[in-house]
Short mmCIF file of all heavy atoms in Angstrom, two decimals:
data_model
loop_
_atom_site.label_atom_id
_atom_site.label_comp_id
_atom_site.label_asym_id
_atom_site.label_seq_id
_atom_site.Cartn_x
_atom_site.Cartn_y
_atom_site.Cartn_z
N ILE A 64 1.11 7.14 -0.81
CA ILE A 64 1.97 7.41 0.36
C ILE A 64 3.26 8.09 -0.04
O ILE A 64 3.69 9.07 0.56
CB ILE A 64 2.30 6.10 1.13
CG1 ILE A 64 1.01 5.49 1.71
CG2 ILE A 64 3.32 6.31 2.22
CD1 ILE A 64 0.34 6.26 2.85
N LEU A 65 3.90 7.63 -1.08
CA LEU A 65 5.14 8.20 -1.58
C LEU A 65 4.90 9.68 -1.98
O LEU A 65 5.76 10.53 -1.65
CB LEU A 65 5.78 7.40 -2.72
CG LEU A 65 6.23 6.02 -2.32
CD1 LEU A 65 6.73 5.24 -3.56
CD2 LEU A 65 7.29 6.07 -1.24
N ALA A 66 3.84 9.97 -2.67
CA ALA A 66 3.56 11.36 -3.00
C ALA A 66 3.38 12.19 -1.75
O ALA A 66 3.83 13.33 -1.66
CB ALA A 66 2.32 11.41 -3.92
N ARG A 67 2.69 11.62 -0.77
CA ARG A 67 2.45 12.34 0.47
C ARG A 67 3.71 12.72 1.20
O ARG A 67 3.81 13.75 1.86
CB ARG A 67 1.58 11.50 1.39
CG ARG A 67 1.16 12.19 2.69
CD ARG A 67 0.35 11.27 3.59
NE ARG A 67 0.00 11.94 4.79
CZ ARG A 67 -1.16 12.51 5.10
NH1 ARG A 67 -2.10 12.53 4.21
NH2 ARG A 67 -1.37 13.06 6.24
N ILE A 68 4.76 11.89 1.15
CA ILE A 68 6.02 12.15 1.83
C ILE A 68 7.01 12.91 1.00
O ILE A 68 8.16 13.11 1.43
CB ILE A 68 6.65 10.84 2.38
CG1 ILE A 68 7.06 9.91 1.26
CG2 ILE A 68 5.72 10.18 3.41
CD1 ILE A 68 7.91 8.73 1.67
N GLY A 69 6.59 13.31 -0.20
CA GLY A 69 7.51 14.09 -1.08
C GLY A 69 8.37 13.22 -1.96
O GLY A 69 9.38 13.71 -2.48
N ALA A 70 8.01 11.98 -2.19
CA ALA A 70 8.76 11.09 -3.07
C ALA A 70 7.92 10.59 -4.23
O ALA A 70 8.02 9.44 -4.66
CB ALA A 70 9.28 9.88 -2.26
N GLY A 71 7.10 11.51 -4.81
CA GLY A 71 6.26 11.20 -5.93
C GLY A 71 7.00 11.37 -7.26
O GLY A 71 8.26 11.22 -7.36
N PHE A 72 6.25 11.63 -8.30
CA PHE A 72 6.81 11.64 -9.65
C PHE A 72 7.94 12.69 -9.82
O PHE A 72 8.93 12.43 -10.47
CB PHE A 72 5.73 11.91 -10.69
CG PHE A 72 4.75 10.78 -10.87
CD1 PHE A 72 3.42 10.94 -10.69
CD2 PHE A 72 5.26 9.52 -11.22
CE1 PHE A 72 2.55 9.86 -10.85
CE2 PHE A 72 4.38 8.44 -11.42
CZ PHE A 72 3.04 8.62 -11.18
N ASP A 73 7.74 13.93 -9.27
CA ASP A 73 8.79 14.90 -9.38
C ASP A 73 10.09 14.46 -8.72
O ASP A 73 11.16 14.73 -9.21
CB ASP A 73 8.34 16.25 -8.77
CG ASP A 73 7.22 16.92 -9.59
OD1 ASP A 73 7.07 16.54 -10.80
OD2 ASP A 73 6.51 17.76 -9.05
N TYR A 74 9.92 13.80 -7.60
CA TYR A 74 11.12 13.29 -6.87
C TYR A 74 11.81 12.21 -7.69
O TYR A 74 13.04 12.23 -7.80
CB TYR A 74 10.65 12.74 -5.51
CG TYR A 74 11.79 12.28 -4.68
CD1 TYR A 74 12.66 13.17 -4.05
CD2 TYR A 74 12.02 10.92 -4.50
CE1 TYR A 74 13.72 12.73 -3.26
CE2 TYR A 74 13.10 10.48 -3.72
CZ TYR A 74 13.95 11.38 -3.13
OH TYR A 74 15.00 10.95 -2.32
N VAL A 75 11.02 11.28 -8.29
CA VAL A 75 11.60 10.25 -9.09
C VAL A 75 12.38 10.84 -10.25
O VAL A 75 13.43 10.30 -10.67
CB VAL A 75 10.51 9.27 -9.53
CG1 VAL A 75 11.06 8.28 -10.60
CG2 VAL A 75 9.99 8.51 -8.34
N ALA A 76 11.90 11.96 -10.80
CA ALA A 76 12.59 12.60 -11.93
C ALA A 76 13.97 13.07 -11.54
O ALA A 76 14.88 13.30 -12.41
CB ALA A 76 11.77 13.77 -12.43
N THR A 77 14.28 13.23 -10.22
CA THR A 77 15.62 13.67 -9.80
C THR A 77 16.59 12.51 -9.76
O THR A 77 17.77 12.72 -9.49
CB THR A 77 15.57 14.32 -8.39
OG1 THR A 77 15.22 13.35 -7.39
CG2 THR A 77 14.58 15.50 -8.37
#
Side-chain angles (χ1 to χ4, degrees):
I64 295 292
L65 293 177
R67 183 182 179 100
I68 63 169
F72 290 123
D73 292 342
Y74 183 74
V75 170
T77 69

